[in-house]
């Protein structure tokens, strides 16, 4: 019986130590983080820079949250294009907003806000004939335990998230997200 309690104590103590370590590392990281990623546009002719640009406006089929998104609600459109929308992920609505949009240069800026973590994100997207470049800034305050975890995971996965989203814009087909349009 003592051996079982000892093993149980070691397992629980190890788990608590790992959680405390992750929270401590995340707490010590700066709240602001920047990352850039470039994704080449394949020259196979199926998906062009123009196609990728058009898909940026199709937030219902190509949501910023990708596969985590359970649905999109368009909040505001300007000239038929969504400029504000909500993406429904588990227990949270991610607020999205287009802050700059230049069709002539195929560049735009978007902001996202996660109210659960109080995380703000800005993406500057520039599409050329041969690549999509994204410069992203993240700001996550340090005062919530969940924020510490998010700051740590951003350092590990932010670039992968950017390339995953841009990669989804380049697929020859997509599975449309469930969407709800605002009146």
């Amino acid at each position: 019986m003592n051996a079982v309690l000892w093993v149980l104590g070691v397992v629980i103590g190890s788990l608590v130590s790992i959680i405390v370590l992750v929270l401590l590392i995340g707490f010590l990281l700066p709240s602001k983080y920047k990352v850039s990623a470039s994704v080449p546009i394949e020259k196979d002719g199926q998906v062009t820079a123009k196609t990728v640009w058009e898909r940026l406006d199709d937030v219902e089929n190509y949501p910023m949250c990708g596969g985590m998104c359970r649905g999109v609600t368009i909040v505001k459109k300007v000239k038929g294009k969504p400029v504000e929308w909500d993406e429904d992920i588990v227990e949270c609505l991610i607020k999205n907003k287009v802050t700059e949009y230049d069709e002539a240069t195929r560049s735009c800026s978007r902001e996202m806000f996660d109210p659960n973590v109080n995380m703000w994100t800005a993406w500057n997207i520039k599409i050329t004939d041969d690549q999509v470049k994204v410069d992203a800034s993240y700001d996550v305050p340090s005062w919530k335990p969940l924020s510490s975890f998010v700051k740590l995971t951003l350092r590990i996965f932010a670039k992968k998230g950017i390339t995953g989203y841009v990669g989804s814009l380049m697929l020859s087909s997509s599975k449309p997200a469930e969407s709800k349009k605002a009146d």
Side-chain angles (χ1 to χ4, degrees), residues 19-75:
I19 291 169
V20 168
L21 183 63
V22 166
L23 292 175
L24 181 62
I25 291 170
F27 182 76
L28 295 173
L29 290 170
S31 64
K32 295 181 191 293
Y33 178 63
K34 292 185 179 198
V35 65
S36 295
S38 295
V39 180
I41 297 175
E42 300 296 325
K43 299 296 181 187
D44 61 6
Q46 290 185 9
V47 178
T48 63
K50 182 178 186 274
T51 306
V52 174
W53 177 252
E54 289 169 352
R55 289 178 177 178
L56 275 176
D57 290 331
D58 188 0
V59 297
E60 294 165 308
N61 290 322
Y62 301 92
M64 297 283 291
C65 294
M68 294 187 302
C69 184
R70 298 186 310 178
V72 173
T73 302
I74 304 293
V75 176

Side-chain angles (χ1 to χ4, degrees), residues 29-118:
L29 290 170
S31 64
K32 295 181 191 293
Y33 178 63
K34 292 185 179 198
V35 65
S36 295
S38 295
V39 180
I41 297 175
E42 300 296 325
K43 299 296 181 187
D44 61 6
Q46 290 185 9
V47 178
T48 63
K50 182 178 186 274
T51 306
V52 174
W53 177 252
E54 289 169 352
R55 289 178 177 178
L56 275 176
D57 290 331
D58 188 0
V59 297
E60 294 165 308
N61 290 322
Y62 301 92
M64 297 283 291
C65 294
M68 294 187 302
C69 184
R70 298 186 310 178
V72 173
T73 302
I74 304 293
V75 176
K76 182 179 177 184
K77 285 186 175 188
V78 172
K79 297 181 183 175
K81 298 182 186 299
V83 293
E84 290 183 29
W85 66 96
D86 296 336
E87 294 184 15
D88 180 11
I89 62 173
V90 180
E91 301 297 324
C92 185
L93 282 178
I94 304 294
K95 307 286 185 188
N96 293 271
K97 182 175 165 180
V98 174
T99 56
E100 293 179 33
Y101 188 90
D102 187 349
E103 197 163 350
T105 62
R106 288 193 298 238
S107 60
C108 70
S109 296
R110 291 180 169 180
E111 291 180 355
M112 293 184 288
F113 180 71
D114 180 341
N116 284 0
V117 183
N118 197 28

Side-chain angles (χ1 to χ4, degrees), residues 137-149:
S137 301
Y138 299 89
D139 189 0
V140 184
S142 300
W143 49 271
K144 287 184 176 180
L146 181 59
S147 299
S148 293
F149 177 74

